[in-house]
Amino acid sequence: MTLSRRRGLLHHSGPRAAGLAAAVTVLLAAVLLSLLAGAQWFGPRDVYAAAAEFAGSDTDRVIRYLRLPRTATGLLAGAALGLAGALMQGVTRNPLADPGLLGVNAGAALAVVGAIGLLGIHSLTGYVWFAMGGALVATVVVHLVGSVGRGGATPVKLALAGAALSALLGSVTSAATLLDLSTLNEFRFWVVGSLTLATGGIVAQAVPFIAVGIVLALALGRSLNQLALGEDLATALGTRVTVVRILAGLAVVLLAGTATAMAGPIGFVGLAVPHVARTIVGPDYRWILPWSVVLAPTVLLLADVAGRLVVRPAELQVGIVTALFGAPLFIALVRRRKLAEL
Amino acid sequence: MAVVRKAVAAAVALSLLTACGGAAEAGPSTDAVTVRNCGLDVSVDGPPERVFAAYQPAIEMAHALGLSDRLVGTAFLDSEVLPEYADAQRDRKYYKNLPSREELLSHNPDFVLSGFNDVFSAAGTDGSFGSRKSLTDLGVRTWIFSPLCPTADGKGDEAIDPASVSMDNVYADLRDLGKLFGAGDKAEQVIADQQRRIAAVEAKVKGADRPTVAIVRPGLEGGGLTVSGGPDFGTVLIRQAGGVNAFADLTAKRNVKISAEEFIKRDPDYVLISGCCDATLTEDRTRPDVDKLLANPAFANLKAVQNKHVVPWLFAHHSAGVRGAHSTELIAKIIHPDRVK
C-alpha cells in the first residue's frame, strides 16, 4: 500500500511500532491511575493487596468490587468503541461515521428500554443480549434501506439511512420512556454512559464478545485499505466488498453492542480516536486499527478519572466528560485536516 | 356513603366560607385576599373553586385542608396517599404523570397547588406547566410549597434557598392557604396536630445519641447512588427524629448523585431506601432494593449493612408537607427503637 506512506506523523513501520509501544505504556499508566484515584487515593501496594491478599477491608472492597470492574469496563468498552468507530469509518468511507451514525447505538438503546419497560429485565446481565440484538437489527435495517435503488449501498446512502433510523428509533425510545416514569428514571441515568454500571460478573461476560470483535476487526485492516480506494478498484483488486462489509458489520455489532450494554452509549470516543490514530500513522488501517485499540481506552479511562476528581464528592458520568472534552478536540481535528480525504 | 361524605364535606366547606366571609371586613371585596408565596403575590377575589394539585404533598395538603371536593384534577403520586385521605382521593381525577399545560388548562383551574417546584421550571424533568407568571396571566393562581422556594420564578430544584427548608414554612403555607381558601380553622387544626406530635417525638429523643441517616433513591444510581442532600426535607425530618442526615453538607441540590466510594467513606448508621413513584406504592415494594444493597459485596463492611439497619422507605415520606409528623414518628421508631415505640 503506497498510500499508507503518504501521510501521518510516523512514516515507517519502526517508529509506528515503537510509538505503539509507548502508547501501550501510557494506557497502562491510565489503568493504574484509574485504580488509584477516586473518593480516596490508594497506593499501588493497596491495589496489590486487594488483588493478592484480599482481607475484606474497606480498601480491599472498594478496589476489588468498584475500581477493578470500572477500570476493566473502561478498557473493554474503550477498545470496542475505538475499533467500532475505525471500522465504520473504513467501511462507509465516511469521516463522520461512528456507532451512533449507523443506528447501532439507537438500536441497542431502544432494545434496552424495551427490556426494562416491557419485559421487566432489570439486571445488567440481561442488557447485553438485547443491546446486541437491537444493534444487529438496526445495522441490517440500515444496510437494507441503504442498498435500495441504483448503485447499491453507497457510503452516502448508508449514512443517510443510519441517520434516519437513528432519529426514528430515538423518538420511539423517548416516547416509551415518557409513558412510564419509573422506566424513564432508570433509563435517564443509564443513557448518559458510565463505567460504573457494570459489575465484575458482566465484565467477565463481555470479554469473549469483545475479544472476538477485536480479532475480527484487526483481521480486516488490509481489506479496509483496498476499500478505501473505492468499491470498483477494490473489486478489481480481488476484495469481496460485500463479505468485508458483512464481517465489519458483525464486528461493529459485537463491539458497539457489548460496549453499550456495559457502559451505556458513550459518544465521541468512536468518532474521534480513529482520527487521532490517522493523524499519527496515516491512512493505513493495518496501523489505524491497533492504534485505536490502545488510544481509545486510554482516553476513556482518563476521562473517567477526571469525572471522579473534578466535582467531588459527586461524580460526572464518563459520557458527560467525553462530550465536554471531546467536542472541542474534534472541532480542532476537523479544522486541522480535510476530513473528506478518507 | 360517598355521596353523604361529599355532602358533609361540601356543607363544611360552605360553612367555613361563610364563617370567613363574616369575619372579614365589610365592603364589596370581602373575600379578596393577597398572600406572598416564594416571592410572588398571590391574590384571589374569593376562595378558589377549581384546584389542580400536582404531586403527593400538594394532593395530601388539599385533602388535609378539606378542599377535596374542589380538586378538578390531581397528578403524580409517589406512593399511596395517607389512609385518612384514601377515600377522598379515590373519586378524584388522577394523572399518573404530569399532564401537559394544555391538558391542565382544559380543566379550567383557578388554582394550581404544587408540591414541588420543577413543574413551573423550564428545566423541569417531568414536564412543565410554564412559569407561574405565565399562568397568573391566564387567571390561574399558583402555589409552590415554601420549603422548596426557588430563588426566582421559572427556576427549580437547582435554586432552592436552604433557609426555606423548615417545618415552620409548612405551617406558614397551611396558614396562608387557609386564608386563601377560607379554611383557616382547618389549617390551625392541622398545624396544632403536627406540632403536638413532633414535639412528643422530640421530647422522647432528647439527649440521645444522634445517629447518621442516609436517604437513598434506588434504581437511579447508574453505578453510583442518589441521596438526599441538605436542601431535601428529609434533613429536617431526620433532625426532628433525633438523627443527622449523613449528606446534609451537600447543599447544591435536593437529590445528589454520589459515587459508591463516597457512600462507603461516609458509612451512615442507617440507610432508608426511598421507593418512588407510583400511586399504589408501599414500603414493601422497596424490599428488593434493600436486599440488593445488603447483598452488594462492596458495601459489606458498612455499619448499616452489618447491623441490618437498611430499611424500606418511601419518597413520599420525606417530602415537605402534612406528612411531617407521620414521617418524624416513623424515622424516630427506626433510629431510636428503645425510646419511640
Side-chain angles (χ1 to χ4, degrees), chain A residues 37-40 42 56-58 61-62 65-67 70 122 178-182 184-186 188-190 194 196-197 308 312-315 317, chain B residues 76 96-97 125-126 217 219-224 226 250 256-262 264-267 276-277 292 296-302:
Chain A
Q40 287 160 285
F42 298 124
S57 72
D58 275 355
R61 286 177 187 278
V62 166
Y65 297 117
L66 299 175
R67 295 215 185 147
R70 183 175 195 164
H122 287 264
L178 284 171
L179 287 176
D180 182 351
L181 198 91
S182 57
L184 170 66
N185 275 339
E186 200 160 321
R188 191 158 65 197
F189 282 73
W190 187 86
S194 167
T196 61
L197 291 165
R308 294 178 217 177
R312 279 203 287 178
E315 285 195 344
Q317 285 171 275
Chain B
F76 209 126
K96 187 178 187 308
N97 294 324
T125 46
D126 305 322
R217 295 280 303 280
L220 295 179
E221 61 268 24
T226 300
L250 305 183
V256 191
K257 192 177 147 44
I258 58 155
S259 64
E261 292 184 24
E262 182 65 27
I264 292 170
K265 205 166 129 190
R266 301 259 176 149
D267 197 7
C276 195
C277 313
K292 209 166 127 190
N296 187 332
F299 295 149
N301 285 357
L302 292 182

Side-chain angles (χ1 to χ4, degrees), chain A residues 1 11 30 47 79 117 177 179 183 231 242 267 335:
Chain A
M1 292 292 107
H11 294 276
V47 175
T177 54
L179 287 176
T183 307
E231 203 173 314
T242 308
R335 286 177 57 85

Side-chain angles (χ1 to χ4, degrees), chain A residues 27-205:
Chain A
L27 172 60
L28 291 177
V31 167
L32 188 63
L33 189 63
S34 172
L35 290 170
L36 302 184
Q40 287 160 285
W41 283 85
F42 298 124
R45 185 190 295 268
D46 296 322
V47 175
Y48 174 78
E53 318 160 348
F54 186 81
S57 72
D58 275 355
T59 303
D60 286 353
R61 286 177 187 278
V62 166
I63 291 173
R64 172 168 287 195
Y65 297 117
L66 299 175
R67 295 215 185 147
L68 269 176
R70 183 175 195 164
T71 306
T73 303
L75 265 177
L76 292 172
L81 290 170
L83 262 185
L87 279 179
M88 296 183 109
Q89 288 169 15
V91 169
T92 62
R93 293 169 59 215
N94 183 328
L96 300 179
D98 78 331
L101 182 89
L102 292 196
V104 180
N105 282 354
L110 180 57
V112 169
V113 172
I116 298 170
L118 298 177
L119 305 177
I121 293 175
H122 287 264
S123 75
L124 275 160
T125 39
Y127 293 161
V128 181
W129 305 99
F130 286 90
M132 296 217 330
L136 178 65
V137 171
T139 307
V140 169
V141 169
V142 167
H143 192 81
L144 288 179
V145 174
S147 305
V148 174
R150 271 188 302 170
T154 65
V156 173
K157 278 161 70 181
L158 277 177
L160 281 174
L165 190 74
S166 289
L168 173 67
L169 295 177
S171 49
V172 174
T173 303
S174 299
T177 54
L178 284 171
L179 287 176
D180 182 351
L181 198 91
S182 57
T183 307
L184 170 66
N185 275 339
E186 200 160 321
F187 191 68
R188 191 158 65 197
F189 282 73
W190 187 86
V191 79
V192 180
S194 167
L195 301 188
T196 61
L197 291 165
T199 59
I202 189 122
V203 171
Q205 210 188 17

Side-chain angles (χ1 to χ4, degrees), chain A residues 255-310:
Chain A
L255 293 167
T258 311
T260 306
M262 289 175 85
I266 296 173
F268 158 72
V269 176
L271 189 61
V273 165
H275 286 290
V276 176
R278 199 172 286 117
T279 305
I280 296 172
V281 297
D284 185 345
Y285 275 96
R286 290 170 303 175
W287 285 101
I288 290 174
L289 293 170
W291 271 82
S292 295
V293 172
V294 177
L295 286 180
T298 309
V299 167
L300 198 56
L301 285 171
L302 291 180
D304 185 48
V305 169
R308 294 178 217 177
L309 300 181
V310 287

Side-chain angles (χ1 to χ4, degrees), chain B residues 35-81:
Chain B
V35 289
R36 207 163 169 77
N37 168 240
C38 292
L40 292 183
D41 282 332
V42 180
S43 305
V44 296
D45 291 332
E49 291 294 333
R50 302 182 60 81
V51 180
F52 193 98
Y55 299 119
Q56 184 112 14
I59 294 169
E60 291 185 342
M61 189 174 278
H63 291 306
L65 285 171
L67 308 177
S68 309
D69 288 344
R70 296 190 219 176
L71 288 172
V72 295
T74 60
F76 209 126
L77 283 168
D78 300 320
S79 72
E80 285 185 336
V81 294

Side-chain angles (χ1 to χ4, degrees), chain B residues 222-309:
Chain B
L225 300 99
T226 300
V227 298
S228 290
D232 188 89
F233 207 70
T235 305
V236 171
L237 300 169
I238 292 168
R239 190 194 311 130
Q240 288 172 169
V244 179
N245 179 358
F247 295 93
D249 59 312
L250 305 183
T251 53
K253 287 190 85 173
R254 272 192 314 126
N255 300 312
V256 191
K257 192 177 147 44
I258 58 155
S259 64
E261 292 184 24
E262 182 65 27
F263 192 69
I264 292 170
K265 205 166 129 190
R266 301 259 176 149
D267 197 7
D269 296 313
Y270 289 84
V271 178
L272 309 180
I273 300 293
S274 165
C276 195
C277 313
D278 182 332
T280 61
L281 199 66
T282 58
E283 277 105 331
D284 276 347
R285 294 249 303 275
T286 64
R287 182 63 69 179
D289 291 300
V290 170
D291 294 339
K292 209 166 127 190
L293 195 145
L294 288 171
N296 187 332
F299 295 149
N301 285 357
L302 292 182
K303 278 181 284 185
V305 172
Q306 301 232 313
N307 298 324
K308 296 274 191 293
H309 286 164

Side-chain angles (χ1 to χ4, degrees), chain B:
Chain B
M1 271 306 285
V3 176
V4 174
R5 209 175 289 116
K6 262 187 181 173
V8 170
V12 170
L14 261 177
S15 65
L16 283 171
L17 273 179
T18 35
C20 179
E25 287 172 43
S29 58
T30 47
D31 291 336
V33 180
T34 300
V35 289
R36 207 163 169 77
N37 168 240
C38 292
L40 292 183
D41 282 332
V42 180
S43 305
V44 296
D45 291 332
E49 291 294 333
R50 302 182 60 81
V51 180
F52 193 98
Y55 299 119
Q56 184 112 14
I59 294 169
E60 291 185 342
M61 189 174 278
H63 291 306
L65 285 171
L67 308 177
S68 309
D69 288 344
R70 296 190 219 176
L71 288 172
V72 295
T74 60
F76 209 126
L77 283 168
D78 300 320
S79 72
E80 285 185 336
V81 294
L82 286 172
E84 53 264 45
Y85 312 131
D87 286 339
Q89 177 60 26
R90 195 166 298 131
D91 309 331
R92 298 296 102 195
K93 169 82 182 160
Y94 175 68
Y95 294 92
K96 187 178 187 308
N97 294 324
L98 287 178
S100 66
R101 178 179 164 100
E102 202 170 316
E103 179 78 17
L104 166 79
L105 294 175
S106 74
H107 291 288
N108 194 21
D110 55 9
F111 200 92
V112 176
L113 182 62
S114 176
F116 292 101
N117 51 31
D118 269 5
V119 68
F120 303 122
S121 152
T125 46
D126 305 322
S128 172
F129 292 159
S131 72
R132 299 180 65 194
K133 182 176 178 309
S134 75
L135 288 166
T136 309
D137 290 346
L138 299 175
V140 184
R141 309 290 177 248
T142 60
W143 194 273
I144 296 177
F145 275 35
S146 304
L148 294 145
C149 276
T151 51
D153 185 21
K155 292 196 172 179
D157 261 358
E158 76 285 2
I160 294 180
D161 176 2
S164 70
V165 184
S166 73
M167 208 59 207
D168 283 342
N169 264 332
V170 174
Y171 302 147
D173 275 358
L174 280 160
R175 285 203 177 90
D176 288 342
L177 290 168
K179 271 185 218 157
L180 288 174
F181 283 90
D185 292 349
K186 186 72 191 165
E188 291 303 333
Q189 277 175 30
V190 175
I191 293 168
D193 175 58
Q194 297 278 316
Q195 286 177 327
R196 180 184 54 77
R197 290 163 66 188
I198 292 169
V201 172
E202 284 176 329
K204 285 182 190 162
V205 301
K206 199 174 175 198
D209 286 340
R210 301 179 72 82
T212 55
V213 182
I215 301 176
V216 175
R217 295 280 303 280
L220 295 179
E221 61 268 24
L225 300 99
T226 300
V227 298
S228 290
D232 188 89
F233 207 70
T235 305
V236 171
L237 300 169
I238 292 168
R239 190 194 311 130
Q240 288 172 169
V244 179
N245 179 358
F247 295 93
D249 59 312
L250 305 183
T251 53
K253 287 190 85 173
R254 272 192 314 126
N255 300 312
V256 191
K257 192 177 147 44
I258 58 155
S259 64
E261 292 184 24
E262 182 65 27
F263 192 69
I264 292 170
K265 205 166 129 190
R266 301 259 176 149
D267 197 7
D269 296 313
Y270 289 84
V271 178
L272 309 180
I273 300 293
S274 165
C276 195
C277 313
D278 182 332
T280 61
L281 199 66
T282 58
E283 277 105 331
D284 276 347
R285 294 249 303 275
T286 64
R287 182 63 69 179
D289 291 300
V290 170
D291 294 339
K292 209 166 127 190
L293 195 145
L294 288 171
N296 187 332
F299 295 149
N301 285 357
L302 292 182
K303 278 181 284 185
V305 172
Q306 301 232 313
N307 298 324
K308 296 274 191 293
H309 286 164
V310 183
V311 185
W313 187 249
L314 291 173
F315 181 80
H317 286 332
H318 58 101
S319 308
V322 296
R323 268 187 195 238
H326 180 66
S327 302
T328 303
E329 291 163 352
L330 286 178
I331 298 174
K333 277 182 203 167
I334 293 166
I335 66 178
H336 293 295
D338 47 329
R339 289 171 176 246
V340 182
K341 307 290 178 199

Side-chain angles (χ1 to χ4, degrees), chain A residues 1-3 6 90 93 222-235 237 239 342:
Chain A
M1 292 292 107
T2 51
L3 74 135
R6 279 217 313 269
R93 293 169 59 215
R222 192 181 171 80
S223 304
L224 291 182
N225 280 345
Q226 290 174 346
L227 216 54
L229 301 172
E231 203 173 314
D232 295 341
L233 200 45
T235 309
L237 287 170
T239 304
L342 273 190

